[in-house]
Amino acid sequence: MKKLKVLVVGEGGREDALVALIRRSSLVSQIWCAPGSDGIAQRTKTACLPKLKADDLWGLRNFAKENRIDLTVVGPEAPLVSGIVDGFEAVGLKIVGPTKAAAQLEGSKVFAKEFMSRQNIPTAGFRVFDDPNRAKKYARDSLPCFIKADGLAAGKGALPCRSEEDITTAIEKIMIAKEFKESGNMVVVEDYLVGEEATFMVLTDGWTAIPLLSTQDHKSVFNNDQGPNTGGMGAYARAPVITPDLEKEIMETIVKPTLDGMRKEGTPYKGILYVGLMINKDGPKVLEYNVRFGDPELQPLVPLLQNDIVPFLLGIANEKFPEELLKEGIKWNEGAAICVIMASGGYPGECEKNKVIDNLDRVVRMKSVEVFHAGTRLENGVWKTNGGRVLGVTVKGKNIEEAIWLTYQIISIISWDGVYYRKDIGQKALRR
Ligand code: AMP
């Protein structure tokens, strides 16, 4: 069989992890990553296209056409929400992800909440507003609550409100100062849920959902979930909060009704469906949908996944998983893995770049360690920091305890001026 040429869209740690998975495949001859990064360019079989940005939908499609790309995999949400899949499919190119209409599950919180309400999918109670004063009034009567910008806001558009002051600040930020631009034309005000959060991701061809190992992200910047939200400071898999019974319940009460509902409403969903959940004694409730792999939730899955991921990705793009593949199923290595994000001091606020990273070359040669590049740059053979989240140090252990211990050993070797990371990634799993 002719080997495949694959294009990965994106440039962060998640895309480095995607490339790491795809290049293992014996079905693939060459990977391009647009725009990619200096870190991603180090991987074998891989070439980066630094001038071709993830939001250049025309450029990406032209590249894929001219280079006869067999399969495109999209890392970040923005191109999916802008309709990259529709454009590729219109000219017969195979691509992994939902159409623009289906990507509204992430692109519009109003769409997602109203969809869940129509399909009886468990989620926090809510109301939608386009008028700041009405939103404030309702929020005051529903304290504590969350106020969320409707559209994409890089994970920063959901604001917890515990007082009238918080409400005023949230509405000012989202609807009046328009910090997230037109994403703040409407808001969702929703009940404040308590419990433990977990991430549940599935691969789906629109009909069948193949669950991945459950993971847990750490969104706050400081230990013990304190401080502002970030893109994610670390993740681990498997997450013991999701027991086999709970997984069954999530599949039956959330994943299946989501896929059935999207088909019934004329916007069938194929791709990676990420469900962010709050789990408490009332069962699982959906906090958010994402329409792609989580970053950093994908990273700890890399050392745990046994299968070649490419046949699954092809099944998604073809809108049908082959029977043999479903029969074979997805297989995982024993043990657990964690990914700890090493960030620049100051993240998620302003942070300094261009710091020399010491000892990176020492650790990348170590067995069972994967260091994913999120924000680095190679200058004359020297690795330097180039963003807020810099590296995702990912290690597999025979259990979560060992994985945590090993990861922090590795992290203590790598350093740069002002390096910051959370010290408690994975502790929630230990407490169970
Ligand atoms: P979202 O962008 O909607 O996922 O929200 C970002 C983060 O805010 C989530 O990962 C949760 O930690 C928190 N969050 C969102 N909605 C709620 C809610 N209704 N109750 C409690 N926490 C929430």
Side-chain angles (χ1 to χ4, degrees), residues 106-124:
E106 178 167 2
S108 165
K109 298 239 184 248
V110 172
F111 175 90
K113 294 295 283 190
E114 291 180 341
F115 168 79
M116 284 187 271
S117 157
R118 287 194 296 277
Q119 301 297 335
N120 287 317
I121 293 167
T123 186

Side-chain angles (χ1 to χ4, degrees), residues 235-238 300 303-304 334-340 368-369 393-411 425-427 429-430:
Y236 64 88
R238 333 167 131 87
L304 293 172
E334 293 289 315
I338 86 166
C339 167
V340 175
S368 76
V369 178
V393 178
T394 306
V395 180
K396 177 176 146 341
K398 60 179 188 295
N399 53 35
I400 190 77
E401 211 164 353
E402 188 187 83
I404 294 171
W405 186 81
L406 286 169
T407 306
Y408 283 103
Q409 293 286 319
I410 304 289
I411 283 182
I425 305 300
Q427 291 299 324
L430 285 187

Side-chain angles (χ1 to χ4, degrees), residues 271-313:
I272 292 95
L273 181 68
Y274 167 125
V275 191
L277 297 163
M278 186 68 88
I279 292 153
N280 58 31
K281 60 176 178 18
D282 303 328
K285 286 202 171 74
V286 178
L287 287 177
E288 64 168 341
Y289 289 112
N290 288 336
V291 297
R292 33 75 191 177
F293 287 113
D295 184 355
E297 290 95 323
L298 178 62
Q299 284 85 320
L301 298 184
V302 174
L304 293 172
L305 181 66
Q306 267 184 18
N307 310 62
D308 179 348
I309 198 170
V310 171
F312 292 91
L313 298 175

